[in-house]
Amino acid sequence: GGSWTRLHNTLPTVAIHEVAQHEGSGEIVVGTHGRSLWALDVTAIRGMTEKALAADAWLFEPPVAYRWQRRHSRGSSGGASRFAGDNPESGALIHYRLAKRGTVKLEIQEPDGSTVRVLEASGKRGLHSVGWDLRGNPAPLSPERERQLRERFGDERFEANRSRFQRARSMPPGNYVVGLTVNGETLTQPLEIRRDPTAVDRVPLVEDEILDLFEDGEEEEDGEGESTGNG
């Protein structure tokens, strides 16, 4: 408490009655009177050591990522029977810092070094945060799969959503590696994906193709997809 820095972001000027440091994620959570809960990811701040500040490039260890179980819901998302706030985007959040501009490559790897996904990353000086949706690299559709989708959704709808149909499957829970290559030198950090701790064992984990296709809020005939995670 010798010095303070204001990191209010979207937090309004209100009384704070409780402050908690989440053990399983990189967040500080505060409770207000009348403005509900507010959370800030401080993973990079916690890792901002003298060594990290002195390095030309630094990759911070990411917190555990969770694959939240997806489920159907019936009726309007604004119905009175549901009480839920807005969740952040699902997936893993990766932080890195560059002391100067450089050529950057950011990728997710299996423990054996094989590439799972290449992520878009900035080479500008400063602190950066990149989200990974826990999916592998998109693969082109086979002719047979494209034919099936066109028959199911029609040519016009297929073409309008081609990129969504090509989205790769979610990666299973397990251990992965984040690799950051800056000007030819590579830094790595471990990344763990865990199963949704609130998921019902009898419900298949996430691998619901229809929910994947409509997860951005586009309704199906019998409902819409939503995430049950609150993290």
Side-chain angles (χ1 to χ4, degrees):
S3 62
W4 295 81
T5 299
R6 184 179 177 90
L7 295 172
H8 61 92
N9 199 16
T10 58
L11 178 68
T13 304
V14 294
I16 303 298
H17 294 267
E18 294 288 343
V19 179
Q21 298 187 52
H22 197 290
E23 296 180 359
S25 69
E27 296 172 336
I28 286 181
V29 183
V30 301
T32 71
H33 182 69
R35 296 298 180 94
S36 192
L37 297 176
W38 180 88
L40 175 67
D41 188 330
V42 293
T43 301
I45 299 173
R46 286 175 173 166
M48 201 70 75
T49 62
E50 292 184 2
K51 185 177 181 180
L53 291 171
D56 289 338
W58 192 264
L59 176 63
F60 299 93
E61 182 176 356
V64 172
Y66 289 88
R67 280 190 56 191
W68 297 111
Q69 177 68 54
R70 301 189 65 82
R71 61 180 173 82
H72 276 296
S73 65
R74 293 182 178 274
S76 172
S77 59
S81 62
R82 296 169 55 191
F83 183 79
D86 292 333
N87 290 322
E89 293 185 7
S90 298
L93 192 60
I94 300 163
H95 304 275
Y96 65 94
R97 178 182 177 273
L98 301 178
K100 55 185 178 181
R101 180 185 288 272
T103 301
V104 171
K105 181 180 181 181
L106 182 63
E107 58 185 339
I108 308 297
Q109 303 171 344
E110 297 275 10
D112 62 6
S114 58
T115 299
V116 171
R117 178 76 174 270
V118 177
L119 303 172
E120 293 185 9
S122 172
K124 294 182 179 179
R125 178 179 179 272
L127 180 65
H128 302 276
S129 297
V130 178
W132 176 40
D133 60 4
L134 308 186
R135 295 176 181 271
N137 284 320
L141 294 171
S142 67
E144 177 62 20
R145 182 59 175 153
E146 180 173 334
R147 183 189 63 78
Q148 293 174 350
L149 291 170
R150 286 183 181 277
E151 289 180 355
R152 182 174 182 179
F153 296 102
D155 290 341
E156 183 176 351
R157 195 175 187 189
F158 172 83
E159 292 297 342
N161 294 277
R162 178 185 284 272
S163 61
R164 298 176 67 188
F165 288 124
Q166 289 179 317
R167 292 177 67 177
R169 289 284 186 174
S170 297
M171 301 303 297
N175 296 313
Y176 297 85
V177 177
V178 181
L180 174 69
T181 302
V182 182
N183 298 329
E185 296 187 8
T186 301
L187 306 171
T188 61
Q189 286 285 3
L191 171 61
E192 181 184 2
I193 299 177
R194 293 180 184 172
R195 190 178 189 273
D196 181 353
T198 67
V200 180
D201 289 340
R202 63 183 176 82
V203 178
L205 181 63
V206 180
E207 299 299 342
D208 185 323
E209 179 185 15
I210 299 301
L211 288 179
D212 281 349
L213 296 178
F214 291 90
E215 65 180 359
D216 294 331
E218 184 176 343
E219 293 188 358
E220 291 185 77
E221 295 179 358
D222 61 344
E224 60 184 9
E226 68 171 79
S227 171
T228 60
N230 292 310

